[in-house]
PDB file of all heavy atoms in Angstrom:
ATOM      1  N   ALA X  74     -23.484  28.274   5.059  1.00  0.00           N
ATOM      2  CA  ALA X  74     -24.109  27.812   6.307  1.00  0.00           C
ATOM      3  C   ALA X  74     -23.415  28.405   7.513  1.00  0.00           C
ATOM      4  O   ALA X  74     -24.062  28.778   8.494  1.00  0.00           O
ATOM      5  CB  ALA X  74     -24.078  26.288   6.364  1.00  0.00           C
ATOM      6  N   ARG X  83     -30.113  22.224  -4.944  1.00  0.00           N
ATOM      7  CA  ARG X  83     -30.928  21.419  -5.897  1.00  0.00           C
ATOM      8  C   ARG X  83     -30.730  21.888  -7.329  1.00  0.00           C
ATOM      9  O   ARG X  83     -30.358  23.036  -7.565  1.00  0.00           O
ATOM     10  CB  ARG X  83     -32.389  21.539  -5.464  1.00  0.00           C
ATOM     11  CG  ARG X  83     -32.653  20.815  -4.130  1.00  0.00           C
ATOM     12  CD  ARG X  83     -33.970  21.190  -3.563  1.00  0.00           C
ATOM     13  NE  ARG X  83     -34.012  22.594  -3.177  1.00  0.00           N
ATOM     14  CZ  ARG X  83     -35.062  23.187  -2.591  1.00  0.00           C
ATOM     15  NH1 ARG X  83     -36.132  22.467  -2.310  1.00  0.00           N
ATOM     16  NH2 ARG X  83     -35.016  24.464  -2.284  1.00  0.00           N
ATOM     17  N   ASP X  85     -32.782  22.808  -9.488  1.00  0.00           N
ATOM     18  CA  ASP X  85     -33.640  23.965  -9.774  1.00  0.00           C
ATOM     19  C   ASP X  85     -32.874  25.242  -9.453  1.00  0.00           C
ATOM     20  O   ASP X  85     -33.044  26.260 -10.138  1.00  0.00           O
ATOM     21  CB  ASP X  85     -34.922  23.878  -8.943  1.00  0.00           C
ATOM     22  CG  ASP X  85     -35.484  22.479  -9.001  1.00  0.00           C
ATOM     23  OD1 ASP X  85     -34.955  21.607  -8.268  1.00  0.00           O
ATOM     24  OD2 ASP X  85     -36.407  22.217  -9.779  1.00  0.00           O
ATOM     25  N   ARG X  91     -28.659  30.651 -12.918  1.00  0.00           N
ATOM     26  CA  ARG X  91     -27.766  30.651 -14.068  1.00  0.00           C
ATOM     27  C   ARG X  91     -27.775  31.967 -14.815  1.00  0.00           C
ATOM     28  O   ARG X  91     -28.670  32.235 -15.620  1.00  0.00           O
ATOM     29  CB  ARG X  91     -28.083  29.487 -14.975  1.00  0.00           C
ATOM     30  CG  ARG X  91     -27.023  29.280 -16.058  1.00  0.00           C
ATOM     31  CD  ARG X  91     -27.018  27.883 -16.626  1.00  0.00           C
ATOM     32  NE  ARG X  91     -28.327  27.553 -17.168  1.00  0.00           N
ATOM     33  CZ  ARG X  91     -28.697  26.337 -17.573  1.00  0.00           C
ATOM     34  NH1 ARG X  91     -27.846  25.331 -17.464  1.00  0.00           N
ATOM     35  NH2 ARG X  91     -29.873  26.113 -18.036  1.00  0.00           N
ATOM     36  N   ARG X 101     -22.301  13.008 -28.831  1.00  0.00           N
ATOM     37  CA  ARG X 101     -20.855  12.786 -28.820  1.00  0.00           C
ATOM     38  C   ARG X 101     -20.161  13.777 -29.742  1.00  0.00           C
ATOM     39  O   ARG X 101     -20.621  14.063 -30.836  1.00  0.00           O
ATOM     40  CB  ARG X 101     -20.542  11.380 -29.301  1.00  0.00           C
ATOM     41  CG  ARG X 101     -21.184  10.327 -28.412  1.00  0.00           C
ATOM     42  CD  ARG X 101     -20.535   9.015 -28.643  1.00  0.00           C
ATOM     43  NE  ARG X 101     -21.036   8.072 -27.610  1.00  0.00           N
ATOM     44  CZ  ARG X 101     -20.597   6.880 -27.440  1.00  0.00           C
ATOM     45  NH1 ARG X 101     -19.637   6.420 -28.235  1.00  0.00           N
ATOM     46  NH2 ARG X 101     -21.070   6.104 -26.511  1.00  0.00           N
TER      47      ARG X 101
ATOM     48  N   ALA Z  74     -23.200   5.000 -22.891  1.00  0.00           N
ATOM     49  CA  ALA Z  74     -22.168   5.217 -23.934  1.00  0.00           C
ATOM     50  C   ALA Z  74     -21.726   3.897 -24.513  1.00  0.00           C
ATOM     51  O   ALA Z  74     -21.489   3.791 -25.728  1.00  0.00           O
ATOM     52  CB  ALA Z  74     -20.997   5.971 -23.332  1.00  0.00           C
ATOM     53  N   ARG Z  83     -26.245  17.167 -18.099  1.00  0.00           N
ATOM     54  CA  ARG Z  83     -26.384  18.575 -17.675  1.00  0.00           C
ATOM     55  C   ARG Z  83     -27.612  18.778 -16.782  1.00  0.00           C
ATOM     56  O   ARG Z  83     -28.567  17.980 -16.869  1.00  0.00           O
ATOM     57  CB  ARG Z  83     -26.467  19.428 -18.922  1.00  0.00           C
ATOM     58  CG  ARG Z  83     -25.141  19.474 -19.673  1.00  0.00           C
ATOM     59  CD  ARG Z  83     -25.258  20.057 -21.031  1.00  0.00           C
ATOM     60  NE  ARG Z  83     -26.109  19.199 -21.903  1.00  0.00           N
ATOM     61  CZ  ARG Z  83     -26.371  19.449 -23.178  1.00  0.00           C
ATOM     62  NH1 ARG Z  83     -25.839  20.505 -23.763  1.00  0.00           N
ATOM     63  NH2 ARG Z  83     -27.142  18.623 -23.866  1.00  0.00           N
ATOM     64  N   ASP Z  85     -30.048  20.695 -17.056  1.00  0.00           N
ATOM     65  CA  ASP Z  85     -31.268  20.826 -17.892  1.00  0.00           C
ATOM     66  C   ASP Z  85     -31.884  19.456 -18.137  1.00  0.00           C
ATOM     67  O   ASP Z  85     -33.104  19.309 -18.193  1.00  0.00           O
ATOM     68  CB  ASP Z  85     -30.904  21.497 -19.212  1.00  0.00           C
ATOM     69  CG  ASP Z  85     -29.984  22.691 -18.976  1.00  0.00           C
ATOM     70  OD1 ASP Z  85     -28.763  22.446 -18.751  1.00  0.00           O
ATOM     71  OD2 ASP Z  85     -30.455  23.839 -18.955  1.00  0.00           O
ATOM     72  N   ARG Z  91     -37.364  14.880 -15.351  1.00  0.00           N
ATOM     73  CA  ARG Z  91     -37.901  14.644 -14.008  1.00  0.00           C
ATOM     74  C   ARG Z  91     -39.391  14.282 -14.039  1.00  0.00           C
ATOM     75  O   ARG Z  91     -40.261  15.125 -14.201  1.00  0.00           O
ATOM     76  CB  ARG Z  91     -37.688  15.884 -13.136  1.00  0.00           C
ATOM     77  CG  ARG Z  91     -38.024  15.612 -11.663  1.00  0.00           C
ATOM     78  CD  ARG Z  91     -37.343  16.592 -10.758  1.00  0.00           C
ATOM     79  NE  ARG Z  91     -37.669  17.958 -11.075  1.00  0.00           N
ATOM     80  CZ  ARG Z  91     -37.044  19.031 -10.560  1.00  0.00           C
ATOM     81  NH1 ARG Z  91     -36.077  18.870  -9.676  1.00  0.00           N
ATOM     82  NH2 ARG Z  91     -37.377  20.203 -10.927  1.00  0.00           N
ATOM     83  N   ILE Z  96     -37.444  17.443  -3.918  1.00  0.00           N
ATOM     84  CA  ILE Z  96     -37.473  17.746  -2.487  1.00  0.00           C
ATOM     85  C   ILE Z  96     -37.885  19.209  -2.307  1.00  0.00           C
ATOM     86  O   ILE Z  96     -37.234  20.098  -2.858  1.00  0.00           O
ATOM     87  CB  ILE Z  96     -36.075  17.530  -1.885  1.00  0.00           C
ATOM     88  CG1 ILE Z  96     -35.662  16.060  -1.891  1.00  0.00           C
ATOM     89  CG2 ILE Z  96     -35.968  18.125  -0.475  1.00  0.00           C
ATOM     90  CD1 ILE Z  96     -36.213  15.240  -0.744  1.00  0.00           C
ATOM     91  N   ARG Z 101     -33.080  25.792   6.311  1.00  0.00           N
ATOM     92  CA  ARG Z 101     -32.659  24.828   7.321  1.00  0.00           C
ATOM     93  C   ARG Z 101     -33.864  24.148   7.978  1.00  0.00           C
ATOM     94  O   ARG Z 101     -34.839  24.793   8.254  1.00  0.00           O
ATOM     95  CB  ARG Z 101     -31.844  25.532   8.382  1.00  0.00           C
ATOM     96  CG  ARG Z 101     -30.627  26.225   7.841  1.00  0.00           C
ATOM     97  CD  ARG Z 101     -29.610  26.518   8.911  1.00  0.00           C
ATOM     98  NE  ARG Z 101     -28.383  26.974   8.293  1.00  0.00           N
ATOM     99  CZ  ARG Z 101     -27.283  27.208   8.951  1.00  0.00           C
ATOM    100  NH1 ARG Z 101     -27.263  27.072  10.295  1.00  0.00           N
ATOM    101  NH2 ARG Z 101     -26.193  27.601   8.341  1.00  0.00           N
TER     102      ARG Z 101
END
Side-chain angles (χ1 to χ4, degrees):
Chain X
R83 292 167 294 183
D85 315 78
R91 190 158 57 190
R101 301 197 171 186
Chain Z
R83 291 167 295 183
D85 316 78
R91 190 158 56 190
I96 292 278
R101 301 198 170 185

